[in-house]
Amino acid sequence: MRHFLFIVLLLLWLPLAAQAQQAMVRSGEHEGYSRLVAPLPGSLDWKVMHAGQDVTFTVSGYDKGYDVSTVYNFISRGRVQDITPLPNGFVIRLGCDCRVASFIDKKQYVVLDITSPGVKRSVAFIPMNTVIDQTRETADTADPQAMDVALPLAPVKPQSRIKPVDLPTLARAPLSETEQESLAEVQRRLTRELSTATTRGLLTPAPGPPLPLGRRAQVDLSAITLPDAPPPIPKPVPPDDVVNNMRVTSSMDVPGVALKADDAQSLSGLTCPANTSLDIVNWADNRPFHQQTGDLRRELYQEFDHINREAALKLAKLYIHYGFGAEARQILLLDDELRHSQKMLLDIASIFETGIAPPDSMLHALMDCETDVALWAMLARQDLGVEHTVDPRPALLSLNKLPIHLRNFLAPALSRRLLAHGDADAAATALRSLERLPATLPSSAKLAQAEIALDEGHVEKATDGLADVADDNAEHSPEALVALVDTRIAARQPISPETANLVEAYAKELSQTELGPELRRAHVLALARSGQFDNAFAGSKKLDVEDATKLQMRLFEELTASAEDVVFLEYVLERSPQDFTKLPKLQKVALAARLFDLGFAEQAQTILSDIADQPRSDSRQLLAARIALDLSQPMRAQAELIEIAGEEADLLRAKAKQMAGAHAEAHDLYRLANNDEAAVQAAWLADDSERFALSDNTIFGPVLALSDAAVAVPPEVDGMLARGEAALTESSAARQTLLDLLQAPELNVDLTDVTQ
């Protein structure tokens, strides 16, 4: 039965393990097109083919597959009707006569835009029934020779190019220092803008040289969709910083045709909100809070009880500035237009109210933005996930811009999310924004500090911090108490009865909250660690059946580790061996070892028999062998020691051999274990003890010599009296030899272990 359950669990685990290694496909819905973003593992080649209603994306040399389970969380099935995973990619079934464009973003993601018919885009579409074969290197560098990588937006006529030899030679004076600096700035900006445009697919390479004869072109120029012509660029007015007709400018200086710096997109295709839209620090002034709210509340309603949207929006922002999430949501929900146009403010208000944003919040898709919204995107999640790397710098910069009262509330939350994600350095950095302040750290920050110390292995520092928070009687004291109990139990530190009573008080007060079950569990464990096992076992029975069973197994661990002998035996011996079947393997070995040390070898052997001997475990097999020897089971002891090496195993084997009557083999094993005294004893008990060369430097040597010596009368002794006197002398010497043997410390043979 156990093998059957193991196989079932294994079969259930394998798909989950495989899925954990898959790359996550992210999605986003936009006006006119749907976007899919697939991570590109390593420097691998990838291909996209559009044939009929199917678009196939594959990556060469990749066999772990893609996870498409969350694709429809953010898009509908209008354009992407279905998506089927492949071992090395996926197949998209289109729900319309859509066109598909693909390009590389940030050198590690492939972006697929499924565009509705008639919608014009600035990126080139994939021709029908044509394989677009792209690699990371060619896609990032936009090689002009790579005809299969990207399509030109417009054909370039080679004959229209001006050859270098036709350029007139102009006589120029050497550039001044100011001109050189301006020229260098022009080069830097031009390089940066060209790189960004090429990565996003806004710029594509010009056609290369003609294809060799016999090779068909893979580019269908008729399928190219050209973007709308931009409006004419107005002639700029020469500003004051013009130097010899040269001026540093950028695309942001051209009105109406360029993206601003804050208009960057996330990987899901959503536009990252500008920092000016989340300027929370300026959503309030220096007047007292009641004056600001009073003025805005008077303006909240116009005549006929109509909402003044401008005043309502200002009032909601004011509440967010002070961290009142529920009040901000209440104001925004008063008007339908504000409810739909200010979804981000509603999500931020939810973060203040509940700690996270709703599951359908757009903030979840903006975590990779480089603007201030990155902070709220990280706080919107319960955890940051592990499917991609998180850059914490934008969020940390945004945190430092906030008012002090918001930093006190948000910095610990951000720190704990970063710590759970595995970035302890960034978690500590988030707390430093509070540590630099002269005020005392809030309890939430102290709790986050303790968790960081625990993650870094500083147990004493962590327990001191947790105890400090627990004694504050603050909002996070119950949570700190739970962490303190778990930390001290893991570190084998004692827990005072006063701490156990404090946990019990919080458990009763917060019994109906989410923290209630954790407090009840911590209370039971605290009772056990403080030596109150009667109350601990009684408390564990009051929990749910499954929780009670798991908790009682933890109690037996504590019982084995710290209970007094009488208490330990009282709780263990009154239970049947089946009650310990759910104990972990190491805990069963520890329980059996303590029973054996207290003289209950049979009970210890029963518990050990429930542990499989395959794979072999040194601690389990050595303990089983000692128990078998104690129960006079030498053959079983030898069987337990199969495949177990080491000096202790050799000594146990020798003792088992000696107990079984194989004294000669025991002698050899004792000699290998460098136990000469035991080897001599085994040799003395052996039938052919002469072959073990018992030398005269041991007490057995003279005895053997005495037993082998023949009694001979010296020739010079004549007469019966003389021979009798000589025999008495021999007898006296023999008696002295035997007396020395009986009194010698070497003669320490345990006759109870000898089987005649």
Side-chain angles (χ1 to χ4, degrees):
M1 184 63 183
R2 292 197 300 269
H3 296 295
F4 173 76
L5 292 176
F6 174 78
I7 294 174
V8 171
L9 293 176
L10 180 62
L11 293 177
L12 292 175
W13 174 80
L14 286 176
L16 297 177
Q19 184 178 4
Q21 299 176 354
Q22 293 177 342
M24 179 70 69
V25 178
R26 303 168 65 182
S27 60
E29 193 74 62
H30 309 277
E31 185 176 358
Y33 67 97
S34 301
R35 171 165 291 183
L36 300 181
V37 181
L40 188 60
S43 301
L44 301 179
D45 298 344
W46 57 278
K47 296 180 181 180
V48 180
M49 184 178 71
H50 186 178
Q53 294 297 110
D54 293 336
V55 177
T56 304
F57 168 75
T58 57
V59 180
S60 301
Y62 179 68
D63 58 357
K64 295 182 180 179
Y66 283 86
D67 184 2
V68 298
S69 59
T70 61
V71 166
Y72 291 107
N73 291 352
F74 301 99
I75 66 174
S76 64
R77 295 183 181 267
R79 303 184 186 94
V80 181
Q81 181 179 353
D82 191 19
I83 180 168
T84 304
L86 299 174
N88 63 336
F90 50 85
V91 178
I92 304 172
R93 171 58 60 92
L94 301 179
C96 61
D97 296 331
C98 300
R99 305 298 304 277
V100 181
S102 64
F103 58 90
I104 286 284
D105 188 53
K106 296 187 178 179
K107 299 183 179 182
Q108 55 183 345
Y109 299 94
V110 178
V111 181
L112 301 176
D113 285 348
I114 295 86
T115 308
S116 297
V119 177
K120 295 183 179 181
R121 300 288 307 283
S122 59
V123 293
F125 293 122
I126 300 173
M128 295 287 289
N129 301 322
T130 300
V131 178
I132 300 302
D133 187 356
Q134 301 180 342
T135 63
R136 178 186 298 271
E137 179 179 357
T138 56
D140 289 343
T141 58
D143 186 0
Q145 307 296 331
M147 291 296 295
D148 295 341
V149 174
L151 303 178
L153 295 180
V156 180
K157 298 179 180 180
Q159 60 270 21
S160 64
R161 300 175 181 173
I162 301 177
K163 298 181 179 180
V165 296
D166 298 330
L167 294 175
T169 303
L170 301 177
R172 298 182 181 272
L175 297 177
S176 64
E177 183 177 352
T178 304
E179 291 173 340
Q180 291 177 356
E181 293 178 357
S182 299
L183 181 59
E185 180 63 22
V186 169
Q187 293 173 341
R188 286 194 296 269
R189 290 195 179 185
L190 183 60
T191 301
R192 183 172 63 250
E193 296 299 331
L194 286 176
S195 300
T196 302
T198 302
T199 301
R200 293 184 178 179
L202 302 178
L203 291 181
T204 51
L211 295 174
L213 294 177
R215 178 180 176 186
R216 297 181 58 188
Q218 295 182 343
V219 179
D220 185 6
L221 296 179
S222 63
I224 300 176
T225 302
L226 299 178
D228 297 334
I233 300 175
K235 184 177 181 180
V237 179
D240 297 334
D241 57 351
V242 174
V243 180
N244 288 350
N245 295 326
M246 181 173 64
R247 174 178 179 265
V248 176
T249 185
S250 68
S251 59
M252 291 183 292
D253 297 325
V254 182
V257 298
L259 291 174
K260 295 183 179 181
D262 290 338
D263 290 339
Q265 290 184 338
S266 66
L267 286 178
S268 59
L270 298 177
T271 301
C272 297
N275 290 338
T276 54
S277 64
L278 292 174
D279 191 14
I280 297 179
V281 69
N282 292 319
W283 286 355
D285 53 39
N286 296 327
R287 293 179 298 159
F289 174 75
H290 68 276
Q291 291 185 8
Q292 298 182 64
T293 55
D295 293 344
L296 290 174
R297 282 191 171 277
R298 282 192 294 270
E299 301 175 6
L300 189 58
Y301 287 95
Q302 300 173 336
E303 58 181 346
F304 307 111
D305 291 335
H306 289 170
I307 291 290
N308 183 349
R309 294 192 181 98
E310 182 179 356
L313 183 58
K314 289 183 179 179
L315 182 58
K317 289 183 175 180
L318 178 65
Y319 281 134
I320 289 177
H321 174 88
Y322 285 102
F324 297 113
E327 291 77 3
R329 284 183 56 84
Q330 183 181 17
I331 296 299
L332 292 174
L333 294 177
L334 291 175
D335 184 76
D336 290 340
E337 182 175 336
L338 288 177
R339 180 185 308 181
H340 292 90
S341 63
Q342 302 298 328
K343 290 184 177 180
M344 184 173 297
L345 289 184
L346 282 170
D347 295 338
I348 293 176
S350 296
I351 293 174
F352 283 111
E353 182 181 2
T354 64
I356 58 174
D360 59 345
S361 171
M362 63 178 295
L363 289 174
H364 296 295
L366 299 176
M367 196 164 58
D368 55 338
C369 287
E370 297 182 357
T371 58
D372 290 346
V373 75
L375 170 64
W376 303 103
M378 291 186 181
L379 295 174
R381 295 169 172 246
Q382 191 70 42
D383 56 78
L384 303 184
V386 295
E387 70 273 9
H388 58 278
T389 303
V390 177
D391 183 5
R393 291 174 295 179
L396 294 174
L397 290 174
S398 176
L399 179 66
N400 286 322
K401 298 178 184 178
L402 294 177
I404 295 177
H405 61 274
L406 289 186
R407 267 188 280 168
N408 286 333
F409 179 74
L410 298 176
L414 177 62
S415 175
R416 300 181 74 177
R417 283 167 172 77
L418 291 171
L419 181 63
H421 187 65
D423 196 344
D425 293 337
T429 302
L431 293 180
R432 290 194 194 103
S433 63
L434 302 180
E435 295 170 355
R436 294 190 296 266
L437 300 176
T440 304
L441 287 177
S443 60
S444 57
K446 295 179 181 178
L447 180 59
Q449 280 183 333
E451 291 177 347
I452 293 175
L454 189 62
D455 182 75
E456 294 175 347
H458 306 306
V459 179
E460 292 294 336
K461 181 179 178 181
T463 52
D464 291 343
L466 292 172
D468 189 16
V469 178
D471 293 339
D472 284 347
N473 194 22
E475 176 186 0
H476 295 277
S477 294
E479 189 177 357
L481 269 175
V482 173
L484 179 63
V485 171
D486 291 338
T487 301
R488 284 184 171 170
I489 288 178
R492 297 297 178 189
Q493 296 178 352
I495 295 178
S496 64
E498 291 77 15
T499 300
N501 293 336
L502 183 60
V503 179
E504 181 183 14
Y506 277 120
K508 291 181 178 179
E509 179 183 354
L510 305 175
S511 60
Q512 302 302 319
T513 65
E514 294 182 358
L515 197 59
E518 284 295 306
L519 284 167
R520 289 191 289 272
R521 178 191 62 83
H523 175 232
V524 172
L525 294 177
L527 287 173
R529 181 48 61 92
S530 61
Q532 306 176 65
F533 286 99
D534 291 338
N535 295 332
F537 277 99
S540 65
K541 297 177 181 179
K542 298 178 182 180
L543 304 180
D544 296 337
V545 176
E546 183 178 359
D547 293 339
T549 303
K550 292 181 180 179
L551 199 54
Q552 285 188 6
M553 295 302 102
R554 291 288 306 275
L555 292 181
F556 280 116
E557 295 179 21
E558 288 298 316
L559 197 71
T560 304
S562 59
E564 296 181 356
D565 293 342
V566 175
V567 178
F568 170 77
L569 293 175
E570 177 185 356
Y571 280 98
V572 173
L573 295 181
E574 71 178 4
R575 285 170 168 78
S576 64
Q578 288 74 20
D579 294 337
F580 306 108
T581 55
K582 294 185 179 181
L583 272 178
K585 180 178 179 180
L586 294 179
Q587 298 304 326
K588 286 183 181 179
V589 173
L591 179 63
R594 186 164 186 187
L595 282 172
F596 176 65
D597 292 339
L598 293 175
F600 294 88
E602 292 183 1
Q603 291 81 353
Q605 190 175 67
T606 303
I607 292 177
L608 278 187
S609 62
D610 192 48
I611 304 176
D613 56 358
Q614 294 293 338
R616 312 290 279 180
S617 170
D618 288 0
S619 59
R620 189 263 181 205
Q621 302 306 126
L622 291 173
L623 177 60
R626 289 198 298 269
I627 294 174
L629 291 175
D630 188 77
L631 296 174
S632 299
Q633 300 170 352
M635 304 308 295
R636 180 169 183 171
Q638 296 180 56
E640 299 286 2
L641 294 172
I642 295 175
E643 299 180 2
I644 305 299
E647 183 177 350
E648 183 179 0
D650 291 338
L651 289 174
L652 291 174
R653 284 193 189 92
K655 189 173 183 180
K657 293 288 187 181
Q658 186 172 351
M659 185 179 294
H663 303 293
E665 298 180 29
H667 168 268
D668 295 338
L669 291 173
Y670 279 132
R671 291 292 298 272
L672 289 175
N674 297 320
N675 193 334
D676 295 334
E677 181 178 348
V680 170
Q681 293 177 6
W684 175 252
L685 295 174
D687 293 336
D688 51 348
S689 57
E690 294 83 355
R691 74 181 185 88
F692 297 109
L694 298 174
S695 60
D696 292 336
N697 59 356
T698 67
I699 190 60
F700 298 108
V703 175
L704 283 178
L706 181 65
S707 63
D708 295 339
V711 180
V713 180
E716 63 275 7
V717 178
D718 189 13
M720 182 179 296
L721 293 178
R723 286 196 297 272
E725 184 179 358
L728 290 175
T729 303
E730 292 284 347
S731 176
S732 177
R735 285 197 302 271
Q736 186 62 40
T737 301
L738 292 176
L739 182 61
D740 293 340
L741 173 66
L742 294 175
Q743 295 178 351
E746 292 89 348
L747 187 59
N748 188 20
V749 179
D750 188 0
L751 298 180
T752 60
D753 294 340
V754 180
T755 301
Q756 298 296 337

